[in-house]
Amino acid sequence: MTLLTIILLPLLAGTTLALLAARMSRAASAWAVAGVTLCSLGLLLGFSETIFSGQKMVSSIPWMPELGINFSFRLDGLSYLFTLLILCIGLLIILYAKYYLSEKDSIGKFYALLMMFMAAMLGIVLTENILLTFVFWELTSVSSFLLIGFWNHKAESRRGARMALTVTGGGGLAMLAGFLLLGHVAGSYELTQIFAAREVVQSSPLYMPILILILLGAFTKSAQFPFHFWLPQAMAAPTPVSAYLHSATMVKAGVFMLARLYPVLGGTYDFEIIVSCIGLITMVFAAYVAIFKHDLKGLLAYSTISHLGLIIFLIGLSSPLSAAAAVFHIINHATFKASLFMVAGIIDHECGTRDMRRLRGLFKFMPYTATLAMVAAASMAGVPLFNGFLSKEMFFVESLALEHLGWFGEIAPWAVTFGGMFSVAYSARFVHNVFFNGTATDLPHTPHEPPRFMKVPVEILIVLCIVIGVLPALTVAPLVFIAAFDVFGGPIPDYTIAIWHGFNTPLLMSALALTGGLLMFWLLQHHFKLHLYAPKVLQGHRVFVHVIESLLALARGVTQYLQNGSLQRYLALLVASVIVLGAWPFLQYGYNTGDAPLTPANAVAVVIWAVAIIGAVATAVMHRQRIIAVILVGVVGLATALTFAYFSAPDLALTQLSVEVVSTALMLMALALLPLTGPKESNISRRSRDIALSVLAGAGVTALMWAVLTRPNESIAWYYLAESVARGGGSNVVNVILVDFRGFDTFGEIIVLGIAAIGALSLMDGLKMERNLSPALLNPVLLSVAARILLPFALLVSVYIFLRGHNLPGGGFIAGLITSVALVMQYMAGGLVATSSKLRIEFPKVIGGGVMIAGLTGLGSFVFGSAFLTSTFGYPLVPLIGEVPLASAAAFDLGVFLTVVGATMLTISALSGASQRSGDVAGVTQ
């Protein structure tokens, strides 16, 4: 539970306090979310001794164990490292954002979204069940979409947010497919069991599809080539978002997933060559592109992509020491890149621009900030005595040990050296063009140092860059070891993280990268006129936009072809498709019936069904006479209700009868807004087509039902009959099924019912219809008097039907329909608008209240350690009455009742709104 608490604190307490405290002051909101983050950090640090001793913590809360879905959480060295980064960097971002965001920005909303994203990232790194991991994975996509688009008044922010959501969300769906296949092959969705099934997974024919699908999810999230283009576009987000999401958290989610699943997927030739190749290509390509970016955050974005490629290259290798190098660079990259993003935000905040073609000579105005930036840039470039140098040298070491990969092993050392050279070049440009290179004269704002506490997060990170660079063994070496152990999934050879390892090839590669990068920048700056460079080549985001626009154009074309505005055509296509799909199995395997004995039908049944058939045929023939057609449809419904009663199903009969009354009344009220006679629009050929489709569909359904019902079957009804009283506490089996055994289905159905009613209201919003009716038709006296007398009796019957529903025919659904019938009569008698003004009930709130009551009833079972919607019952003794049967499902049934009433009456309200006019009819207000 403690691991779950680490996630729930920012998800629930953090988001709530951020919004509430913001009403007091900006500082209060910052302190509130910082306090929540510190609480989660304190809980994590409490496990430090356990984790550093080499132990793991796994906890699980059963949810849907039959489907392999549980609330399972895991804390080991790898998840400890990432949780520490998420919380610590998050604390610094909270402080930084307080000074970065303007007074016009909603700081409460920002912190709430930040807390949601933090919780999603914590969920990814702490979950043991991979299906639960996917839930948090997609939550990061949604919350990052909201954070990137925080400045939604800017077109580039909205565009960047949509692009990020599309790419990462699409990759997430591919990853879900990979997770499902992985769980199927391994026999479990729990990481512990999956790791134990390593040999089974890697020998399975599904290994390659699993690998490709999971890699798609990881590569899209971590912006690897060719999915890198979304990250530079996401730089339209506020800088605190970029510093947090795009340096230390979100873009590291893909890295984490590869590291987490390495023990089961890694170590094969396929894994090594695919992952390492993509990582190396991304590293070199993005580092080269970064040199030519004029926007500070654009340069840092491509730099981030490059360093992520470096880490993924290391994870792809089969060497245990490459795991240690990857983990070490994850830490180092988070420190220097987050600090550089924050420096870029400071420059933008104080100068009004991030364009390096306009920024120059800022060292004179911001010497302290410039010094911090130069240290971070030196670490990014891999200059000795800073932490970036140590992990990059380990990177060079691993690139030299790839002889077993053939051609790839031969080109890798050269490629990584050039990648390091490009890294030095863009780092040098960052420092030279911003802080030196003359004096800026046309900046929007006069440059100056930022507020004191805005620099504190940068200072903390810069100190870490120096301390780790000078004293790695005393600072991060134990953390690197425990995390690398869990990445590799086994023992790691002895190694040393130190500044000096003697004169060797990796040192020569570092020297070549430093000198070559500085020389490259000097040549580009003085001979290529780097500041005038404007790329005209095909770019990733342009390809993406072109693909999306092409898909939308194709969709519009298909839509215009299929949806020409003819409802008849839509229905014909739908029915024809169903006929083809339904007939396909019979055409392929033939048609035959069973030999079950037929049930004899007496004369009463034959009469009932004859009435239904005659009513259905008459409806089709007379469908243009709208009121007559509604009455005939009601006759068919009544015959259906009598059929249920004939087969001893009183609950169904009562429900069908109530539905028929309500639906007939609703249709009659709707027809009051339409002409009494429908137009004759169909020609002979169309009517012939419709008759053919109707006959085929009817015959097909009849044949299917005949084939099914003439075969023997074992009904599950006997289980419900036997367990209804024992486990549900009620003798009305139908009601017990609805509110207990299949309560989850009912819960979903009332949600759909509420959505449909609200949708009807939205569709009819603004619709105004002219009705030329006389006052006598608008206010029938006899109906008005009868409706007033019947209303209290109908409500009394509803209460009775509701209370007895658990043991006799009735329940919340039927009671809700009876109440709706009584209220519909009031509308018909008193007029739509007049009755609505008298009731003064907000029916959307009634629907919401019903769904909430039903949901809370289900959640209440968690308090007692039971599954969702588990009910209980008893027989409390009431004085003067005796034992009273009482079931907790009655509260759920109350939610059903309210939702049915609210949905029905909301539809009526929609009709009343459509019936209004701007004036009066014959002096009577409608």
Side-chain angles (χ1 to χ4, degrees), residues 532-556:
L532 297 178
Y533 174 73
K536 298 180 181 179
V537 297
L538 192 63
Q539 295 179 331
H541 73 277
R542 294 179 181 174
V543 174
F544 172 83
V545 171
H546 177 72
V547 170
I548 295 297
E549 289 178 348
S550 300
L551 289 175
L552 291 175
L554 176 63
R556 284 192 295 269

Side-chain angles (χ1 to χ4, degrees), residues 723-731 736 740-741 806-807 870-876 884-890:
E723 300 293 336
S724 177
V725 175
R727 301 185 64 179
S731 56
V736 173
D740 193 333
F741 291 117
H806 214 52
N807 293 287
T870 302
S871 67
T872 186
F873 61 91
Y875 301 90
V884 176
L886 183 64
S888 62

Side-chain angles (χ1 to χ4, degrees), residues 78 96 121 132 145 187 221 379 465 528 621 626 635 652 831 855:
L78 179 62
Y96 178 82
M121 281 300 306
L132 186 59
F145 166 79
K221 187 75 84 172
S379 180
C465 290
F528 183 71
V621 173
R626 286 172 171 160
V635 171
L652 293 179

Side-chain angles (χ1 to χ4, degrees), residues 561-577 620 623-624 626 678-691 693-694:
Y561 175 75
L562 295 177
Q563 296 189 350
N564 62 348
S566 172
L567 296 179
Q568 289 178 316
R569 181 178 184 180
Y570 302 162
L571 190 59
L573 288 173
L574 176 62
V575 174
S577 301
H623 70 277
R624 290 191 180 87
R626 286 172 171 160
K680 185 177 180 180
E681 297 176 342
S682 301
N683 52 33
I684 296 178
S685 62
R686 182 175 292 181
R687 284 199 297 272
S688 301
R689 178 203 67 186
D690 294 344
I691 291 173
L693 288 175
S694 301

Side-chain angles (χ1 to χ4, degrees), residues 499-563:
I499 301 174
W500 179 251
H501 290 280
F503 292 100
N504 51 27
T505 304
L507 181 64
L508 176 62
M509 295 167 71
S510 295
L512 287 174
L514 282 171
T515 55
L518 292 173
L519 178 61
M520 180 181 182
F521 169 70
W522 185 85
L523 292 174
L524 289 173
Q525 184 75 10
H526 292 85
H527 296 279
F528 183 71
K529 295 183 179 179
L530 187 58
H531 63 285
L532 297 178
Y533 174 73
K536 298 180 181 179
V537 297
L538 192 63
Q539 295 179 331
H541 73 277
R542 294 179 181 174
V543 174
F544 172 83
V545 171
H546 177 72
V547 170
I548 295 297
E549 289 178 348
S550 300
L551 289 175
L552 291 175
L554 176 63
R556 284 192 295 269
V558 173
T559 302
Q560 290 172 1
Y561 175 75
L562 295 177
Q563 296 189 350

Side-chain angles (χ1 to χ4, degrees), residues 866-911:
S866 300
F868 182 67
L869 279 175
T870 302
S871 67
T872 186
F873 61 91
Y875 301 90
L877 185 63
V878 179
L880 303 179
I881 298 178
E883 288 187 346
V884 176
L886 183 64
S888 62
F892 180 83
D893 221 9
L894 176 61
V896 174
F897 170 82
L898 291 174
T899 306
V900 170
V901 173
T904 305
M905 302 315 298
L906 185 61
T907 307
I908 296 290
S909 298
L911 290 172

Side-chain angles (χ1 to χ4, degrees), residues 613-766:
I613 293 172
I614 294 171
V617 173
T619 302
V621 173
M622 305 182 66
H623 70 277
R624 290 191 180 87
Q625 304 296 322
R626 286 172 171 160
I627 293 182
I628 296 176
V630 169
I631 295 173
L632 290 172
V633 169
V635 171
V636 175
L638 179 60
T640 305
L642 291 174
T643 301
F644 289 143
Y646 175 78
F647 284 110
S648 302
D651 260 296
L652 293 179
L654 191 56
T655 302
Q656 177 68 28
L657 188 60
S658 303
V659 168
E660 282 303 319
V661 173
V662 173
S663 59
T664 300
L666 284 174
M667 284 190 287
L668 287 173
M669 297 176 72
L671 289 180
L673 306 176
L674 299 173
L676 296 179
T677 304
K680 185 177 180 180
E681 297 176 342
S682 301
N683 52 33
I684 296 178
S685 62
R686 182 175 292 181
R687 284 199 297 272
S688 301
R689 178 203 67 186
D690 294 344
I691 291 173
L693 288 175
S694 301
V695 171
L696 287 174
V701 172
T702 302
L704 179 62
M705 294 303 297
W706 186 266
V708 171
L709 294 177
T710 55
R711 283 174 166 79
N713 65 87
E714 295 183 5
S715 174
I716 63 172
W718 301 111
Y719 169 80
Y720 294 124
L721 289 169
E723 300 293 336
S724 177
V725 175
R727 301 185 64 179
S731 56
N732 181 5
V733 182
V734 174
N735 186 261
V736 173
I737 290 174
L738 290 175
V739 300
D740 193 333
F741 291 117
R742 303 298 298 271
F744 200 83
D745 292 348
T746 305
F747 184 57
E749 289 164 3
I750 64 173
I751 292 174
V752 172
L753 182 62
I755 293 173
I758 295 172
L761 179 65
S762 301
L763 288 173
M764 301 188 71
D765 183 36

